[in-house]
Amino acid sequence: MTTSRFDIHEHITTQIITAIEQGVGDFQLPWRHAGQISRPRNVRTKQAYRGVNILALWAAAYSFGYTSATWGTYRQWAETGAQVRKGEKASYVVFYKELEFAREDAADAETETRLFARATPVFAAEQVDGFKTELAGNDREVEPIAAAESFVMAAGATINHGGDRAYYRPSTDSIQLPERHAFVGSATSTPQEAYYSTLLHELTHWTAPEHRCDRTLGKRFGDDAYAMEELVAELGAAFLCADLGITAAPRLDHAQYIASWLKVLKADKKAIFNAAGAASKAVAFLGGSG
């Protein structure tokens, strides 16, 4: 009997697609209904997960109702004195390992390096006994919106206000936003949060040119390059909102973008990995934790 090989790329992509489809209508990154958001962190290292692992764990948290944002392997939880409960289902993160192989052509070098994805099962704090969840917000020494203002200023982008649209214009290398008073709140975000989450979206677009992060910008709505860049910008904004303590605000053209993202994700199981990696690179360029 042949056992099908576990494909971590397909597994995580399917998990994220499912999370989006479950929440279509009220779905918004990073798959949280309201309130403060934060990056998933490892219980042993205290470091935030990066790239697609952020999305994979946000999606798992959304699906199962976890809110602690603290994750670890079975062994890591045991090292803290906690115990994963029997029967709990693991979520997965992915790490890449470099392995050397003999070159088939043996032209210039005898060996070549290849990247291999390694799937690692992890569990949320809600799945273990004997662990005290730290209260969210205790380590926030700076008022979140003030932190966002300082972060944006440090990036050095040219930001203009006026009109009724938000966009990044490559020809002038500048960001255009409506006046601050034009932003309105919603059931899950204040006007200030809506303003900064929009600005962080456009700031991620600003990192696209070759001399910054070198990404391809799409020409029109609906093409794959456009959808990928919009997904990168939304992920970048979501990562930055999590880092800066800002609740992400839903876009006005929300449903259209969700449809375009799903099209790309369903066509290419590695698209979300590439988009998340590009978003992390953009965040790191801007001075975030990447």
Side-chain angles (χ1 to χ4, degrees), residues 19-234:
I20 293 175
E21 291 182 331
Q22 283 178 344
V24 165
D26 64 347
F27 169 83
Q28 66 183 84
L29 286 169
W31 298 295
R32 293 290 295 275
H33 293 294
Q36 294 288 351
I37 57 176
S38 58
R39 295 254 204 134
R41 292 183 178 274
N42 182 269
V43 67
R44 184 176 69 184
T45 67
K46 310 301 181 185
Q47 296 297 310
Y49 288 92
R50 302 179 66 176
V52 77
N53 291 329
I54 304 170
L55 308 181
L57 297 181
W58 270 343
Y62 177 87
S63 297
F64 298 106
Y66 304 145
T67 61
S68 68
T70 303
W71 298 78
T73 64
Y74 188 96
R75 178 178 292 182
Q76 287 173 336
W77 282 117
E79 290 172 352
T80 70
Q83 175 65 49
V84 176
R85 287 189 292 272
K86 185 176 181 180
E88 290 288 348
K89 184 178 180 181
S91 299
Y92 287 88
V93 292
V94 61
F95 297 100
Y96 290 92
K97 185 176 183 179
E98 289 187 352
L99 296 178
E100 285 195 356
F101 291 85
R103 292 182 62 94
E104 295 179 1
D105 54 11
D108 300 320
E110 296 182 355
T111 62
E112 62 179 348
T113 300
R114 301 178 193 170
L115 284 178
F116 281 82
R118 177 184 176 185
T120 301
V122 292
F123 300 87
E126 286 86 349
Q127 296 177 277
V128 307
D129 292 321
F131 176 74
K132 292 183 178 180
T133 303
E134 295 179 4
L135 294 176
N138 286 350
D139 59 347
R140 298 194 185 279
E141 299 179 357
V142 186
E143 199 277 321
I145 303 301
E149 190 72 21
S150 297
F151 181 85
V152 170
M153 288 182 65
T158 298
I159 302 169
N160 301 313
H161 292 80
D164 59 1
R165 294 176 54 223
Y167 55 89
Y168 165 66
R169 180 187 287 135
S171 62
T172 58
D173 193 28
S174 62
I175 293 169
Q176 186 72 37
L177 292 173
E179 297 290 349
R180 294 179 188 237
H181 62 73
F183 287 84
V184 297
S186 69
T188 59
S189 61
T190 66
Q192 290 83 4
E193 289 165 345
Y195 170 80
Y196 282 106
S197 62
T198 301
L199 173 51
L200 294 172
H201 176 102
E202 301 306 333
L203 195 61
T204 304
H205 281 315
W206 178 80
T207 68
E210 183 178 3
H211 63 288
R212 295 189 184 113
C213 294
D214 194 15
R215 294 193 310 276
T216 300
L217 292 172
K219 299 299 182 183
R220 61 184 178 83
F221 182 83
D223 69 30
D224 288 349
Y226 188 101
M228 276 294 289
E229 175 59 22
E230 284 301 315
L231 182 53
V232 169
E234 278 293 272

